[in-house]
Amino acid sequence: MPFFMDTDKLVTLEEAAGRVRDGDVVALGGGLSARLPMALVRELVRQGRRDLHLVGSAHGIDVDLLVAAGAVSVCEESYVGFEQDLGLAPAYRRAAEGGDIRLAESCCVTMLTQLRAAEAGVPFLPVRGVKGSDIRRLHPEYAEITCPFTGEVLIAVPALSPDVALIHASLGDRRGNLHFDKPYVLDERFASASQLVIATVERMVSTEEVAEAGVTVPAHLVTAVAEAPFGAHPTSCYPEYAYDRNHLRDYVAAAATAEGASEYLAHYVTGAPTELAYRKLVGEENLERLTGWDKSTHAWKELFA
Amino acid sequence: MTFTIDEWFVVTLARTIKDREAVFHGFGSPCAQVAMHVARHTHARDMLLVEGATYAVNPEPEFIPPTGNDLALQHRAVYQLRFEEFFDAAIRGDIDRMFLSGGQIDAWGNTNVTAVGPIERPKVKLGGGGGGCNLAATIKNLTLWTTRHGSGRTLVEQCDFVTDMGHRTKEGTRTELGFTGGGPEWLVTELGVFDFPQGRARLRQTYPDVTLDQVTDATGFSFEVAGDLKHVPFPSAAELAALRSVDPLGVRRQEFSSTELKRVFEHGSGASCAC
């Protein structure tokens, strides 16, 4: 929301995640199996963050891992899961069914509208849908409003300015200029509606290189930036690498029980004190395989077969 | 030529698309995703295909990957809509059709993708509705589908939670709520096809290996049966070829149980044209 004027925002991953406080409303960038800010998510778990209120559009292992680690009190995404491929999100499902998190399920359009209100500096904006849906029951803050011009009754949704947005990008510079490919999902909106924007990038490069690739989120919106190679793993960060379907499948199988989820966390997250240690656990050969998606259609298909 | 239920089902979904429609599917919907490409390669060559979670316009994927947000789905797309470009168009009413499914679907075409059981302590927390609770209000026509009709748990008298509104809920009808889209037009299941005259599901077609009693037993609400109840038209050779070419990994099969996948069919003599 405010502009960030520092000319050097390069920090370590530990410092970057350290900007998130217990109880924050945290916006998660990316979507489904792509460009989720996983290095930051893992670091938040290592640092023992608690009571987070997550917002986002369609999410998967990022939310599930934070919920499994007991870091979350409220979930306000529009979807959490692994699609038809791997099914429901195990830890999220368990926590929801056990009443351990508050379900504030939202809708992509509603959230987009709420962020736009924050960006425009107005207290609310209307949406035409939501009526007739029980989603409204999960949001007592939504109100009805009569249009002063047409008399139409619409649903007014309040401005949403997350305390912090976590975004993972392909390229970035020390100033905080970020480049990443489409689909941008809500990342651009999160970047300009949030109080703080914490970014990780696959590669830290010169300003000229980011400019040449195209600036997706400009430096003045970014608070801090850390370098985190494979920072979206096991989700994809094209053109660098495809998503690691085997790892995701193993995660979903492990997280089917609370014990299995704890073992996953103990092995891959708290048991790997740094991202370098995490990459070693995942295996360099395996990561290399994911970067080979563009060798041939056959090679790409093989990753998902 | 033999074909399986997943293939026939996808072709049936594809046929709900009209040429020159702008069509969208949600993520986690392999059958709808493949169906859109089948339609674009057969009877709806000039449709505007908006690919699920990538918002790519008219891509030509070499294969359908198992996730809705993968670069493979943007292959050869000349343009990828931004997130807000797509949702603005949908809310304005410029998108003609969307595919929607649900863990529960009722007679009015309301769908539940949020939770089975009470929302405070659900029996099953489902994934969630994505953009549905707004999109279902304004997109012109909805094609609903499920591949779990036979379970007896999917088509229900009343959804435990209405994520996406169909033709009518406790709050009123679409007209009363000021919705600009037409609501559910078709409900395609692995047992048959329903339409929605006066907003309520009516059985129009069944697959030839399914009896009316089977459909009734598997359906939690009472439904009218069309006077001219027919069998679902056979897939053509062109449709099957398009389908097999676009989905070499068979992601569409993820939506079916292994028992269902054993349903194999053959064009009988005098069956519909195989052109």
Side-chain angles (χ1 to χ4, degrees):
Chain A
M1 182 82 51
F3 283 0
F4 296 95
M5 310 301 281
D6 295 348
T7 52
D8 190 355
K9 295 163 183 161
L10 181 61
V11 295
T12 63
L13 179 68
E14 291 77 3
E15 288 166 336
R19 304 284 179 97
V20 181
R21 296 156 305 173
D22 287 353
D24 271 356
V25 175
V26 179
L28 294 163
L32 294 171
S33 61
R35 230 171 21 72
L36 301 182
M38 292 306 297
L40 283 164
V41 162
R42 284 186 285 267
E43 187 56 28
L44 289 177
V45 174
R46 293 183 194 113
Q47 294 186 12
R49 210 64 75 244
R50 285 287 176 274
D51 200 25
L52 302 177
H53 175 147
L54 302 180
V55 299
S57 56
H59 286 263
I61 190 172
D62 50 352
V63 172
D64 208 63
L65 210 58
L66 286 168
V67 169
V72 180
S73 59
V74 184
C75 277
E76 196 173 350
E77 297 78 19
S78 72
Y79 171 89
V80 184
F82 296 86
E83 306 178 77
Q84 289 296 322
D85 189 27
L86 302 169
L88 301 176
Y92 170 71
R93 180 187 168 180
R94 198 159 42 241
E97 291 168 11
D100 301 328
I101 51 173
R102 183 163 76 79
L103 291 174
E105 189 172 306
S106 188
C107 166
C108 300
V109 178
T110 306
M111 188 159 292
L112 170 64
T113 306
Q114 292 184 268
L115 294 166
R116 278 170 157 170
E119 290 181 86
V122 294
F124 75 92
L125 282 172
V127 294
R128 180 170 278 114
V130 182
K131 284 190 282 187
S133 164
D134 286 321
I135 293 287
R136 195 174 166 189
R137 280 172 46 206
L138 304 179
H139 294 273
E141 73 277 20
Y142 296 174
E144 286 193 356
I145 187 166
T146 304
C147 171
F149 306 106
T150 64
E152 190 179 355
V153 178
L154 299 163
I155 300 294
V157 295
L160 171 65
S161 178
D163 294 308
V164 52
L166 307 181
I167 288 173
H168 184 71
S170 298
L171 304 175
D173 67 8
R174 302 174 74 100
R175 291 173 175 265
N177 291 299
L178 307 176
H179 165 81
F180 46 94
D181 287 357
K182 281 180 181 173
Y184 304 145
V185 198
L186 277 171
D187 295 35
E188 296 168 291
R189 303 280 66 78
F190 282 146
S192 56
S194 299
Q195 299 295 321
L196 300 180
V197 178
I198 307 298
T200 47
V201 298
E202 288 293 321
R203 281 184 295 131
M204 194 59 70
V205 296
S206 67
T207 299
E208 290 69 27
E209 201 174 322
V210 191
E212 194 166 328
V215 172
T216 319
V217 171
H220 60 262
L221 297 179
V222 175
T223 318
V225 57
E227 192 171 52
F230 291 97
H233 184 272
T235 67
S236 66
C237 185
Y238 287 108
E240 279 79 12
Y241 48 91
Y243 73 108
D244 191 340
R245 185 169 181 243
N246 293 340
H247 190 100
L248 286 167
R249 189 190 55 216
D250 292 349
Y251 169 77
V252 170
T257 63
E259 298 70 34
S262 299
E263 279 167 30
Y264 178 94
L265 285 166
H267 184 66
Y268 282 110
V269 185
T270 49
T274 63
E275 282 294 299
L276 182 61
Y278 172 79
R279 294 197 294 275
K280 283 194 174 143
L281 275 175
V282 171
E284 275 172 33
E285 203 175 299
N286 183 41
L287 294 174
E288 185 72 19
R289 193 176 66 91
L290 301 173
T291 62
W293 65 271
D294 58 348
K295 287 200 184 100
S296 68
T297 303
H298 177 75
W300 201 1
K301 263 163 54 175
E302 281 292 295
L303 293 175
F304 307 139
Chain B
M1 186 194 298
T2 61
F3 48 93
T4 48
I5 186 64
D6 52 291
E7 296 180 312
W8 199 350
F9 178 86
V10 168
V11 165
T12 306
L13 278 184
R15 287 173 175 176
T16 68
I17 297 169
K18 299 184 189 82
D19 198 16
R20 302 181 69 84
E21 280 188 334
V23 187
F24 173 74
H25 71 82
F27 47 80
S29 311
C31 284
Q33 190 170 23
V34 177
M36 283 167 55
H37 288 285
V38 170
R40 187 161 174 260
H41 282 100
T42 54
H43 69 276
R45 289 174 194 259
D46 292 320
M47 68 186 275
L48 192 142
L49 187 159
V50 181
E51 184 64 74
T54 67
Y55 312 103
V57 176
N58 293 338
E60 297 280 352
E62 294 184 89
F63 62 96
I64 304 284
T67 169
N69 190 359
D70 193 84
L71 182 65
L73 297 167
Q74 302 184 44
H75 186 65
R76 286 195 170 169
V78 174
Y79 186 66
Q80 295 97 45
L81 295 166
R82 295 166 101 96
F83 187 90
E84 44 270 58
E85 268 181 294
F86 168 72
F87 285 106
D88 287 346
I91 297 309
R92 283 198 306 270
D94 285 345
I95 303 295
D96 297 299
R97 184 173 304 277
M98 174 171 69
F99 288 89
L100 258 186
S101 188
Q104 294 180 326
I105 301 174
D106 72 18
W108 302 104
N110 299 305
T111 54
N112 173 11
V113 279
T114 297
V116 176
I119 187 65
E120 298 74 24
R121 289 295 284 268
K123 196 165 132 226
V124 184
K125 176 67 189 91
L126 304 170
C133 89
N134 283 285
L135 297 181
T138 54
I139 286 181
K140 284 191 191 119
N141 292 294
L142 306 176
T143 297
L144 308 182
W145 91 98
T146 176
T147 55
R148 305 280 173 190
H149 187 174
S151 75
R153 293 190 301 272
T154 306
L155 298 200
V156 295
E157 177 66 37
Q158 197 179 353
C159 291
D160 294 348
F161 185 100
V162 174
T163 314
D164 306 316
M165 177 165 168
H167 288 283
R168 171 196 291 271
T169 68
K170 297 188 291 290
E171 288 190 48
T173 64
R174 298 182 69 83
T175 313
E176 286 161 0
L177 296 181
F179 287 178
T180 49
E185 183 182 26
W186 301 105
L187 165 60
V188 179
T189 85
E190 85 283 17
L191 303 183
V193 178
F194 296 82
D195 63 359
F196 290 87
Q198 283 85 51
R200 200 177 155 95
R202 172 181 71 169
L203 187 65
R204 281 279 297 268
Q205 298 171 349
T206 57
Y207 293 92
D209 60 339
V210 172
T211 65
L212 180 55
D213 280 350
Q214 266 178 282
V215 180
T216 308
D217 290 347
T219 307
F221 53 79
S222 61
F223 57 87
E224 193 189 327
V225 179
D228 60 340
L229 181 69
K230 291 189 170 74
H231 284 156
V232 181
F234 280 96
S236 72
E239 286 168 326
L240 290 173
L243 180 148
R244 289 168 188 175
S245 154
V246 76
D247 185 24
L249 296 179
V251 297
R252 65 186 180 275
R253 295 166 68 86
Q254 290 173 344
E255 298 207 46
F256 293 85
S257 67
S258 49
T259 320
E260 287 293 325
L261 289 172
K262 290 186 188 127
R263 289 170 64 190
V264 180
F265 305 90
E266 201 162 351
H267 285 112
S269 60
S272 72
C273 120
C275 49

